[in-house]
Amino acid sequence: MSLAFCGNENNSAAYNVEKGVLNNGCFVDALNVVPHVFLLFITFPILFIGWGSQSSKVHIHHSTWLHFPGHNLRWILTFILLFVLVCEIAEGIVSDGVSESRHLHLYMPAGMAFLAAITSVVYYHNIETSNFPKLLIALLFYWTLAFITKTIKFVKFCDNGVGFSQLRFCLTGLLVILYGMLLAVEINVIRVRRYVFFKTPKEVKPPEDLQDLGVRFLQPFVNLLSKGTYWWMNTFIKTAHKKPIDLKAIGKLPIAMRALTNYIRLNEAFEAQKNKRSPYPQGSKSIWCALCWAFGRPLVLSSTFRILADLLGFAGPLCISGIVHHVGKGNNTIRPQIKILGVFFISSQEFLSNAYVLAVLLFFALLLQRTILQASYYVAIETGINLRGAIQTKIYNKIMQLSTSNMSMGEMTAGQICNLVAIDTNQLMWFFFLCPNLWAMPVQIIVGVLLLYYLLGISALIGAVVIIVLAPVQYFVATKLSQAQRSTLEYSNERLKKTNEMLRGIKLLKLYAWEHIFHSSVEETRQKEMTSLKAFALYTSISSTLLVPSPFTMYFCLPDPAQPLKVVNRKRPAREDWNNYSSHMRRPVNITEGDDFCVKITNGFFTWTPEGSATLSNIDIRIPQGQLTMIVGQVGCGKSSLLLATLGEMQKTSGNVFWNSPEKETAVDMEVRKRGSVAYASQKPWLLNATVEENIIFESPFNKQRYKAVIDACSLQPDIDILPHGDQTQIGERGINLSGGQRQRISVARALYQQTNVVFLDDPFSALDIHLSDHLMQEGILKMLREDKRTIILVTHKLQYLPHADWIVAMKDGTIQREGTLKDIQKSESELFEHWKTLMNRQDQELEKETIIERKTVLERKNLRRTRYSREALLKDDEEDEEEITESDDDDNLSSVLHQRAKMPWRACGKYLSSAGILLLPLLVLSQFLKHTVMVAIDYWLAKWTSDVISAKSDLEQKNCSVCQEFNHSRYSRVFSILCCLGIILCLVTSIAVEWTGLKVAKKLHYCLLNKIILAPMRFFETTPLGSILNRFSADCNTIDQHIPATLECLSRSTLLCVSALAVISYVTPMFLIALLPLAIICYFIQKYFRVASRDLQQLDDSTQLPLLCHFSETVEGLTTIRAFRYEGRFRQKLLEYTDSNNIASLFLTAANRWLEVRMEYIGACVVLIAAVTSITKSLYNQLSSGLVGLGLTYALMVSNYLNWMVRNLADMEIQLGAVKRINGLLKTEAENYEGLLSPSQIPQNWPDRGEIQIQNLSVRYDSNLKPVLKHVSAHISPGQKIGICGRTGSGKSSFSLAFFRMVDTFEGRIIIDGIDIAKLPLQTLRSRLSIILQDPILFSGTIRFNLDPEKKCTDSMLWEALEIAQLKHVVKALPGGLDAIVTEGGENFSQGQRQLFCLARAFVRKTSIFIMDEATASIDMATENILQKVVMTAFADRTVVTIAHRVHTILNADLVIVMKRGVILEYDKPEVLLEQEDSVFASFVQADK
């Protein structure tokens, strides 16, 4: 058939111009082509030739730009225009299909308009990018011309009687409106930007974010098309495939998404809530109101998108229904009857009765629906992330105001706060993501039921009734699921708490042979957790069988700002305090004491809890300005509490605290905001998870000279030399990779480095030996601080330093016993002074001799803790432990890393599945295959049933007989029912099989992990960060318990559904396979690129969350220090940085997921279009049954969903299998050899009964690849002897004690105790028969009874006896419950000294004949220590006691003294013999300790 623009039929009206050219339809259509041709001619030269010269005008460095006014509206109108033009083209083709010749004018102008519309938007985009609006004048002319020509056509249609019943008339009317609106948008740009027709154009700068090159998250700034399709992510995802994504690659957050911006928004919402309502809503309700006020708007937008997408989702089934209907009728289009202006016009009904038209409409509906749905998801998650940042900041600000008692009394633990930040805020984020479902689902159900009623009649209502009846069952299952989840969480927390304690005290557990007790305790909790997990798995299986989406509702409650947790009262004193205050103020101030004090407390009563008794009572002290004040007293008398009370950390019940400020005295309550920064070193050293240098400088400016002086004063240089990276070495969590002394000295160095006027040092010498203590006192406290006229308050037990004090405060039982200078006390309290003198063990003299100790220090201490730093990568995050990868900067190595990143971790997958066992694996695979086979069979049977009914009806119509037999449905319904029942059973079986497999693997892996870890050698714990091991038990076990089974089930289901869908479509239309190949290739590359980017982003999301959680726990632990330094602002700033880093990673991950889903949905839409076109064509020519066409299209419609889930689950699985890989890595840890050469029967029951120790040529090392720490040591200790071991730090004293317990590698020589070589004994037996007290006191949460005797072997009288020996009987008796009194985590409810005494009592409980004290009295005051020494000498007269001492005077009464140096015995004799020798090292130690 020949082609002609106006058609070439005889007597055609197309060329008739009798009534004027404008009444000729073909001429009007030709006129409509003119504007489009004009635009194409004008814009193409500018786009392709002239654009290079415009590039210099680009002011913005990004590929983003300044949006012109009406930007989004223009894009939306252009998309609608394109859709209407496609409809016009289709209408032209359909209506022309019945003509004898082709009339090109029916669809060619629309085709040109389509091209012009695309060109207009591309042209606009380029102009906007270059910010050069003057070129928009071309578009102004185009819209004007297009509007005029289209209006002429519309008017002529009206003149010729064409009306609304004709589709072409409606489309032309729509185009007039669209062109008119686009013209209005263009005029608005001129009005606002004034780029033409105005003298001065308006200069507009791009947003601040775009001027900042660091912002790489471009979603808020790109155009609407790029926003909807995430096109801007293409470059990012391609780059990710070339090099790993790091924080630098993802850049900064846009300002509107930063935590600070959102925190301000949330705070404003809280304030608005307060101001709006007089009865202010309390508790969680107030939080919900504020959250909705602050973040409700984007949520409404997301919900609108969701409802729109859901409504568009019904277009799919309706179009398929239409296609099946028309295919059944042979796609016979009703021949149009109306012919006007020489061409046929069709109605919309006639247009939609074409199956091909429905296929194209279905394609467009799918594209739009999937784009809007992904937009809804994105907006919801972005809002959730913004909200999470705001809530985390709010929680942090709350923590900053918590009183110390909240933490020490166990009301709020660091674990709870971490849970709040890590889990609850995330759940709140996901709640906001799932929120649109709450109102979108009811809309979906109602519209679905109405449509079904329209199609099926009364049967649909029966289906609706079934849904309603099942609702209570679903609700019941959902509540059971949440209960099971809650109990699992509780048991999981309990298990983690126990594991954490076990790992923190692992050295003690091994030395006391208590591993089995804690192992069984953790395992018992794990069993309870597994029971909860089984219940959870069962209900999950039931809910998936019911196909019930169980909404998991998160409840989150932040302490209400109006009713804070006991916040330190920093605003005003209580009313009665005001009266006291005013009376004090009215009292005339003594001029002499006016300005010479720094802090003054009058009549102070302080407590930790408001309802508790006063910890400090009747406090009246004056701390002199610019002088050294020492606070002394016995353990637990309130010395540390006095410092904290002065800093405002305790609850003040009465009295006043005055700080001397330049203006006037201020009461503490008014003062806390005004007092300056106080450099505070707490008794328990608090370190940041940062470098040594950062810990010392602590946010202050770096001054090299001062830094060096501080390092020298604290004797830190030798320690720094040993560290792998010097002072740039990262200190692990809680300073785990440092010794107690090193931690203490870094903490003191921080206080010395700060340029504050006031310095508080709380027992800085407790973990230091005498040489280090003296050097610190002389060089640090006296030289650096006192000479600078700083006010120093020093809490100490080292009474030999009292002569240096300008002012002394003596405390007893929470009150001030005496204050004044040493001479004052000598005169007025001669008894106390004499008591001190005897304790000091020397006369009141100046300490000139103390500097002799520094000789040879550097050489001697090179060995210091070398064993701890043998590893080069000190804190390598094990998240990066890729198999057999050692990363370097070489290009070839990088390529191997990239290759490794693109591979799936099949080995870990194999390990996971093999752990399930031989029986479960085949059951899992078989049940999945059977289930999906049955599912396909059900759908195929339905299609066959439908086809047979339709063919039976058409046969009846052809035969036209009324008596013919009715169609028999019974056979079909029977088979259908059987298949459905089988499907339901298989669904349940599959789900249970997956969950069962998951639980079995989880149980097995945790059991193996716990066994391996608890039996691992001590070296493993010294070289592996605690946080890393704990992560295996928490995050990784949680992944294996709950996430992998669900992902595995989802992955297998989506993969099999995808395969079955493609198989069904290929069966229905084999032609589809040809088109499938290019789509499969595209799909492969998309998933390949996505998986790599997704994994990197997921790891980045996890790794950026760790510093955030660490920052929270660090802040909780160091609250007093931070507040003393007045560093709250700096720490808040750090938090904002960490939160933003975590949020930007989460946002990029979200955008990457949307990027994948949009592409997969578009591929799915292409699959539907191809399947529809091939099915329609095949059915028209090959008589394919309409039932099979429907079946093929229904499956095609679901392909995009399955594809999405398959790729997403593949990426998730890859990340989650990392947990299996990491646990598998730990399972390769070699255990200690617990077996012995001697059988239990060969070991005497009461061994060792005498306590004789023979050490023969002993050499030990910490690891086979390290140097020895003890070299050829020989000694003989007779039964009942008291041995003292001394030596400088790192001389091998502690290694000597550990050798008795085989905690170190003995590679030469042997130790014989009571005639038995300890190397032949089983470890459990050896360690259970000896006793040791460690330098660091370790207490476990539980009761005092459990801490003293976890094996439950002792009677109460034995426990009381041990407590009496340890000077603790009166303390425990005063506690509620006595022996059953509660000990909080880490023993935080006791002072450091009391904890050490409990550890002594614990050792006394074990009535062993050999007793080792490893620097056990470091935190105890001299008076208590002297009592203990006497008790040890008498109570253990018949036992062998080995004492390793910092304070040499404590071993002067020993029978034998061993002096050690660099792992060898330097001197070995009675103390009196050694003291008589002039050149004796021991004698020099004693001289220095005087």
Side-chain angles (χ1 to χ4, degrees), residues 645-648 652 657-659 666-673:
T646 315
L647 289 169
K652 178 164 67 76
V657 179
F658 300 98
W659 283 79
T666 46
V668 72
D669 308 274
M670 308 296 279
E671 152 281 327
V672 181
R673 284 190 298 274

Side-chain angles (χ1 to χ4, degrees), residues 772-789:
L772 295 173
S773 300
D774 280 353
H775 186 73
L776 175 59
M777 185 73 201
Q778 285 291 340
E779 298 298 317
I781 295 168
L782 298 178
K783 222 186 219 176
M784 289 191 75
L785 298 180
R786 196 161 70 170
E787 286 179 15
D788 271 3
K789 292 284 180 227

Side-chain angles (χ1 to χ4, degrees), residues 1015-1211:
L1015 300 179
M1018 202 56 220
R1019 176 80 190 136
F1020 167 77
F1021 298 99
E1022 286 166 352
T1023 55
T1024 314
L1026 175 72
S1028 161
I1029 304 170
L1030 207 55
N1031 250 345
R1032 301 297 76 80
F1033 282 101
S1034 57
D1036 290 349
C1037 276
N1038 183 43
T1039 301
I1040 291 167
D1041 287 352
Q1042 298 193 16
H1043 298 292
I1044 293 184
T1047 310
L1048 184 67
E1049 205 273 331
C1050 223
L1051 178 65
S1052 57
R1053 188 178 67 223
S1054 51
T1055 308
L1056 287 169
L1057 281 169
C1058 216
V1059 170
S1060 53
L1062 294 174
V1064 167
I1065 301 166
S1066 306
Y1067 168 73
V1068 173
T1069 49
M1071 282 287 287
F1072 172 75
L1073 285 169
I1074 299 164
L1076 186 63
L1077 189 66
L1079 288 178
I1081 292 166
I1082 295 167
C1083 222
Y1084 169 75
F1085 280 106
I1086 287 174
Q1087 68 83 32
K1088 185 183 171 189
Y1089 278 85
F1090 168 78
R1091 261 185 34 236
V1092 173
S1094 170
R1095 191 175 65 192
D1096 279 6
L1097 286 169
Q1098 186 77 58
Q1099 284 173 352
L1100 203 58
D1101 188 31
D1102 293 342
S1103 64
T1104 50
Q1105 198 174 21
L1106 276 175
L1108 179 68
L1109 297 180
C1110 279
H1111 188 65
F1112 266 92
S1113 59
E1114 272 174 7
T1115 304
V1116 169
E1117 281 165 23
L1119 259 180
T1120 45
T1121 309
I1122 295 166
R1123 290 204 284 241
F1125 274 88
R1126 284 270 157 271
Y1127 274 8
E1128 294 98 326
R1130 299 181 190 195
F1131 274 75
R1132 282 192 186 107
Q1133 189 53 44
K1134 257 187 174 177
L1135 170 93
L1136 293 173
E1137 286 167 19
Y1138 288 138
T1139 308
D1140 286 346
S1141 298
N1142 185 223
N1143 285 355
I1144 186 76
S1146 302
L1147 276 166
F1148 262 103
L1149 183 61
T1150 300
N1153 286 339
R1154 302 286 79 78
W1155 177 90
L1156 166 82
E1157 290 189 6
V1158 161
R1159 274 144 193 76
M1160 287 299 174
E1161 301 285 17
Y1162 289 174
I1163 288 172
C1166 293
V1167 167
V1168 172
L1169 182 66
I1170 296 161
V1173 171
T1174 49
S1175 303
I1176 294 162
T1177 311
K1178 190 179 176 189
S1179 72
L1180 292 179
Y1181 293 103
N1182 293 357
Q1183 292 303 306
L1184 179 69
S1185 75
S1186 54
L1188 284 178
V1189 171
L1191 179 69
L1193 290 181
T1194 307
Y1195 269 87
L1197 208 55
M1198 295 188 289
V1199 162
S1200 61
N1201 272 342
Y1202 303 153
L1203 275 175
N1204 253 332
W1205 281 110
M1206 191 172 83
V1207 178
R1208 281 281 295 281
N1209 286 312
L1210 201 62

